[in-house]
Amino acid sequence: MKNIIFIAPPAAGKGTQSELLCEKYGYAHISTGDLLRSVNPTSELGIEINNLMKTGSLVSDEIIFKLIEERLQKEDIKNGFILDGFPRTIKQAIAYEELVNKLNLKDYVVIYIKISENEAMNRALGRLGCTSCGKIYHKVNSKPKTEGICDVCGGSLTSRDDDNEELFKKRFVTYLEKTQPLIDYYKKANKLVEIPSNDDKYITNEMIEKVIIDD
Ligand code: ADP
């Protein structure tokens, strides 16, 4: 099976779709946002990361490349992996191409989740995540059975610091400037599959199986 890169505006549901596909097909889920959030926030690196994330800007390529290269050396990627949040710029895409060659990684397909700014903002402002297992909920569209408590593990649910209106808008501008050019880039490379996002379960088995099976 081919590896998968997800491209989408902030809060489009890359993380949720990645989790579903990981459960179904045994992929490893590599979210650069989660990798960044897991760096100790009191360390020098953690402080630098948080200061950038707080403004809706991208974290430096140097930090991202190091995290990704380390992550791609782990054993669990052998059965395939999903990149959720990387590459986010043309420069990162070129660096990823070099990594594919250097680490002898399998071929990949790029899935672009198309969603309007309003819908993405609605998802960001309603998003809740479990502090223990990471499962994602939505305050209105996909509520937990008991308010504030994760259905799966009983952990407590919180909103991400950057899921407020002001920061969402900044993240969206960053997306338009830096990430959207990747859509044309991967279209030209014949790697892009576009999926319109209408509801939570928009990626069907048929859609995904058609694109991830090796030639
Ligand atoms: P979302 O897709 O909802 O914006 P993520 O968890 O993917 O959320 O990313 C959160 C933040 O982490 C981004 O706003 C950015 O600051 C940083 N980040 C994540 N991935 C990258 C990347 N590949 N390059 C630079 N910064 C990144």
Side-chain angles (χ1 to χ4, degrees):
M1 275 186 327
K2 288 178 184 163
N3 294 320
I4 296 175
I5 290 177
F6 266 125
I7 296 185
K14 296 189 298 300
T16 307
Q17 294 306 317
S18 299
E19 285 299 329
L20 291 172
L21 295 178
C22 288
E23 265 171 42
K24 212 177 285 172
Y25 301 99
Y27 281 111
H29 180 195
I30 304 179
S31 153
T32 39
D34 287 347
L35 287 174
L36 292 167
R37 283 183 288 273
S38 69
V39 174
N40 175 359
T42 57
S43 66
E44 206 177 306
L45 180 63
I47 293 168
E48 187 184 339
I49 290 173
N50 281 331
N51 282 340
L52 282 162
M53 281 169 103
K54 264 199 315 229
T55 61
S57 318
L58 295 182
V59 170
S60 74
D61 287 335
E62 198 194 347
I63 295 174
I64 294 291
F65 292 158
K66 190 162 170 284
L67 286 174
I68 280 287
E69 187 159 4
E70 270 173 23
R71 184 65 186 84
L72 290 178
Q73 318 264 355
K74 294 204 174 150
E75 267 304 300
D76 68 337
I77 65 143
K78 295 279 173 335
N79 292 329
F81 56 86
I82 298 179
L83 286 175
D84 160 8
F86 177 90
R88 245 176 161 93
T89 62
I90 299 271
K91 192 170 168 205
Q92 291 183 8
I94 292 168
Y96 180 65
E97 207 52 52
E98 283 165 15
L99 264 185
V100 168
N101 294 328
K102 182 171 146 194
L103 303 179
N104 219 350
L105 300 172
K106 283 193 297 193
D107 195 11
Y108 61 96
V109 57
V110 181
I111 300 180
Y112 164 45
I113 304 177
K114 199 172 177 194
I115 178 176
S116 70
E117 179 172 359
N118 269 348
E119 181 53 27
M121 183 153 83
N122 168 32
R123 288 183 188 189
L125 301 190
R127 174 154 68 179
L128 292 171
C130 174
T131 47
S132 300
C133 74
K135 181 159 170 61
I136 305 290
Y137 298 84
H138 187 278
K139 285 175 191 161
V140 182
N141 307 336
S142 124
K143 292 194 224 179
K145 291 194 185 93
T146 314
E147 200 183 319
I149 308 285
C150 177
D151 295 347
V152 179
C153 74
S156 52
L157 305 182
T158 53
S159 297
R160 257 169 51 180
D161 289 347
D162 57 356
D163 275 345
N164 58 62
E165 188 167 343
E166 191 195 343
L167 261 190
F168 172 85
K169 287 190 170 150
K170 288 192 178 152
R171 281 154 63 206
F172 200 86
V173 169
T174 305
Y175 166 80
L176 291 179
E177 274 175 14
K178 305 272 169 67
T179 308
Q180 195 158 266
L182 283 177
I183 294 163
D184 248 7
Y185 175 88
Y186 282 124
K187 215 181 253 173
K188 287 194 183 116
N190 236 340
K191 293 219 171 272
L192 196 86
V193 180
E194 186 173 311
I195 292 183
S197 153
N198 307 313
D199 60 48
D200 266 359
K201 305 233 162 20
Y202 44 85
I203 301 189
T204 63
N205 288 0
E206 294 76 42
M207 269 179 202
I208 202 77
E209 278 162 14
K210 212 162 59 192
V211 297
I212 61 177
I213 305 295
D214 294 306
D215 298 324

